[in-house]
Structure formats: structure tokens, C-alpha cells
Amino acid sequence: MSVLESPMDHPATPPTSTRRNKTGPRQGLVLALACAAMAMVGLDIAIVNVALPSIQRDLGVSQGSLQWVIVAYGLVLGGFLLVGGRITDLLGRRRILLAGLGLFTAASLVAGIAQHGGVLIAARGLQGLGGALIAPAALSLLAVTFREGHERNRALGIFGAVGGLAGTVGVVASGVIAAGPGWRWAFFINVPVGLVLVTLAVTGLAADARRGRSGRLDVVGASMVTGGLLTVVYALHHGSTHGWTSAATLAWFVAACVLIAAFVLWERRSPAPLVPASALRNRPLVAANLTALLSFGAFFSFIFLGSLLMQQELGYSATHTGLAWLATTVTEFATASVAGRIATVVGVRRLLVSGLTLLTAVMVWLARLPADAGYLADLLPAFLLAGLGFGLCGPSLQIGALSGVAESESGLASGLIETTREIGAAAGVAVIATVLVAGTGLDGFHTAFAAAGVLAGLGVVVAATGFRRDS
């Protein structure tokens, strides 16, 4: 048995009664609720991007503070996902999902009525905290509602497709709302949706089982890892805007390393570690998280670079750029919707290797893009292949991360994969942005796309060697 494997890799199939309460919700309701909740979280990552000038004008937010309307959400979301996953296991999936939905809805209302920039930024942080509870609870609900194998893979394919679609739709929705009813409705729209989801969760989800006293949250470890993740995300943001060698940036990275190192040392001694050793010995879980780090870094760098390329080098308007991305969005959604079913037949490893190979090829193609590139001949093939490639990856990563994980640790596994996705995306864009800035014009984009191709290529290697050949 490999050092990365554990008995969790080959679990006995639990009785049906433990997988699905006879008086509990129908599978369709759980899937719809989980998808809608994650769509709301995903939409709010990007739904204020185009509306930032309107927010700045209406609330008098300074240029330096304006970025925090976006950063506060992603910072808190990424920092608290792991803790959100662990308390999901300890306190119950239904309870944590309700807490996250309630907090997210209330924070959205505060953001919508905010009359001061500081209030809006604080509300965005609270939205991020709500999202950090919703994401692992929703994914964990799917893990325990659908039997591992074909049932779960199909559900995770739909879940991943909706999640991937939400971020792209957020950019389009931001422009529509800003030009129509106004930026406040980017937040107000969450209130009725959130209330409907809370009602469905209260009436449709089975009550959580009573928890014994054996499980408790490692508060010290949770504080250390949350502080470390928050510091990592902030250091990445600070480095991309203030330079990677500035004293402040280096200090933030040193602080992050100290906190994470302290967390590792504490976990070895803790009687109730936040991340049990069994999770680290689960080979599919470890491989999925390492692959997610690289694949999300590559894909979000591709979106970042593609958006700038079209507007800065090819002369596209913001509207035309948004429409151009529909090729990737539609292809990704369609592919992810069926990727779970395909994974049942060919395995997670083959899907990830195939998807990341396609992403690598896309980056190589764009690294050689001519100055007079046309959409149909030069961009569209790359955008379609990128949607196909990442559509194969998204659900496969979630399937891999939940393979062989006990129900009692499904929240932790969900929080881990969501955390590495967020950190990977933030780190990838920060690094690639630095590569882009170091170059000039189209040559700079060529170099940056090549660097993103390296990330995707490393993802191929990790997926091929990290997962067992029969997985």
C-alpha cells in the first residue's frame, strides 16, 4: 500500500440507511439546493467588477480602497473555507448551510443599503464568511446524499457545471445591473433568493443527527490555519500590486509561513487535529488538491490574460469581450454536465490528464498568437478547447477529493478542495500578472501565456502520478 494510501481509499460500502434517510429529502431537492447556493456564492465573486466605477461615484470610495470591495470577499472566503468544512463535520451540514445562507443573505442586505464605503467593504467580508460556510456544507451534503460512484459523479458533474457557469455569468450580470437598476441590486437580488433557499433548507433537509462529545473544533489550530490562509491570500494580492520584492510583501509572506508552520507543528500534538492524519494519507484527496492548485491557477490566468488581450491588444470593447467568452462558458458548462458520467467509465485520472493537456495546448497556441489575430480563426478554437478542458477538470477534482472519504470527514474534504481552488486561482493570477507586467505589448502576453502553460503542464504531471492508474 502506498504511503499516501489508507484504508479510506478502499472503504466498505455503507448500508443504504446510512447514506440516505428514508424520511429525508429527495436527491433532486438536495442537488437543486446545493447548486443554487453555490451559484449565489460564485456570482458574487465577480458581480461587482463592472459596477466599481458606479460604487466609487455614489459612495465616494477612494481609488486605493475601491479594490477592497472585491478583495474583502475573496480574502475571507479563501481564508475560512477549511474551518467551514471542519465545523460542517462537527456541527452538522444542515446547520452550517443554514448559518451560511442566513449570514450571506443578511450581509447582502447590508451591502445593498450601505451609504459608506467602509460599511460596504465590511459587508462584503461577511458575505465571504457566509460563502465559506455554504461551499463545504453544500458539497458535503452531496457527498452523503448520493452513493459514491455513478450517482455521486453525475451529481458532482451538474454541481461543478453550475459553479463554473456562475463566475462567468457574474461578470455579464455586473454590467447589466450597473447599466439598469443600479449596483445596489447586485446585492439586493441575493435577499429573496437567500430567503427562498433558507426556507427550502429548513423544510426539505433532514435534521442533523445529534453530535456526541467526541468531536470538537481545534480552536488553536483553526486560528493558525485561518490566519495563515488569510495572510497568504493578502500577500499574493499585495505582491501583485506593490511588487514581490518590496519589504511589506516579503513581511506578509514571512508571516504566512510562520503561521502555517506553527499550524503544522500544533497539529502533530493536538488530540483533535483540524486535519486528521487519515486525510493526509488519502491518496486521491491529496492528489486532487495538488492538481486543483495548478489547474485553477492555469485556468483563471487564462481568463485574466484573455480579457486583457482582447481589450488592450485586439481593440475589443468590454461588451464584445464578454460575448467572446460565451464560447468558453457554454462549452465548459456542457462538458462539466456530463463529465461526472464519463468519470464513472474512464476514471478521474484520465479525465484530469486529458483536460489539463487541452489547457496546456491552449496556452501554447495563445503564446504564438499573431498581432492581427481574428476571433474565428485564432481565438475561438482556443476558447472552445479551454472550455472543454476545464469542463473535464472541475467535476473530476471534486470526485477525486471525495473518493474514499468517510461521511464524518466529508466536510473537511470539501473545505480542503474549495480552499486549494481559491488559493490556486489567486496565486496563479498574481504570478502570471507579474510575468505580464515584466513584458511589453503582445510579447508580454506571449510570455505570460507560456508561463500559464507551465502551470497546466505541471498539473498534467501531478494528475498522472498522483492518482492511481485505476482511479
Side-chain angles (χ1 to χ4, degrees), residues 31 35 50 65 162 170 231 286-287 292 301 351 370 374 421 427 459:
L31 179 57
C35 287
V50 180
S65 300
V162 172
T231 308
V286 174
S301 295
L351 280 193
R421 284 161 44 132

Side-chain angles (χ1 to χ4, degrees), residues 14-173:
T16 302
S17 60
T18 66
R19 301 295 303 173
R20 206 173 296 114
N21 191 318
K22 290 182 180 179
T23 61
R26 295 189 304 273
Q27 290 181 331
L29 173 63
V30 174
L31 179 57
L33 181 59
C35 287
M38 275 304 296
M40 189 167 66
V41 173
L43 279 169
D44 272 65
I45 293 176
I47 202 167
V48 297
N49 283 334
V50 180
L52 285 178
S54 300
I55 293 174
Q56 182 178 32
R57 181 178 62 252
D58 292 349
L59 300 185
V61 181
S62 67
Q63 187 64 36
S65 300
L66 189 62
Q67 60 185 325
W68 281 96
V69 176
I70 295 176
V71 173
Y73 183 83
L75 183 67
V76 178
L77 177 64
F80 281 90
L81 276 167
L82 183 55
V83 172
R86 188 56 179 153
I87 63 175
T88 292
D89 291 329
L90 296 177
L91 301 181
R93 300 167 189 88
R94 181 177 180 270
R95 293 187 186 97
I96 298 306
L97 181 64
L98 283 170
L101 287 171
L103 179 58
F104 195 96
T105 303
S108 297
L109 178 60
V110 173
I113 64 176
Q115 300 297 321
H116 186 274
V119 174
L120 176 59
I121 292 170
R124 287 286 285 167
L126 289 175
Q127 278 188 309
L129 182 57
L133 300 178
I134 292 171
L139 186 54
S140 181
L141 269 172
L142 293 183
V144 301
T145 301
F146 294 87
R147 189 185 302 275
E148 184 169 349
H150 175 71
E151 279 188 9
R152 186 191 293 176
N153 293 354
R154 182 177 180 181
L156 289 177
I158 297 172
F159 183 76
V162 172
L165 182 65
T168 308
V169 171
V171 178
V172 179

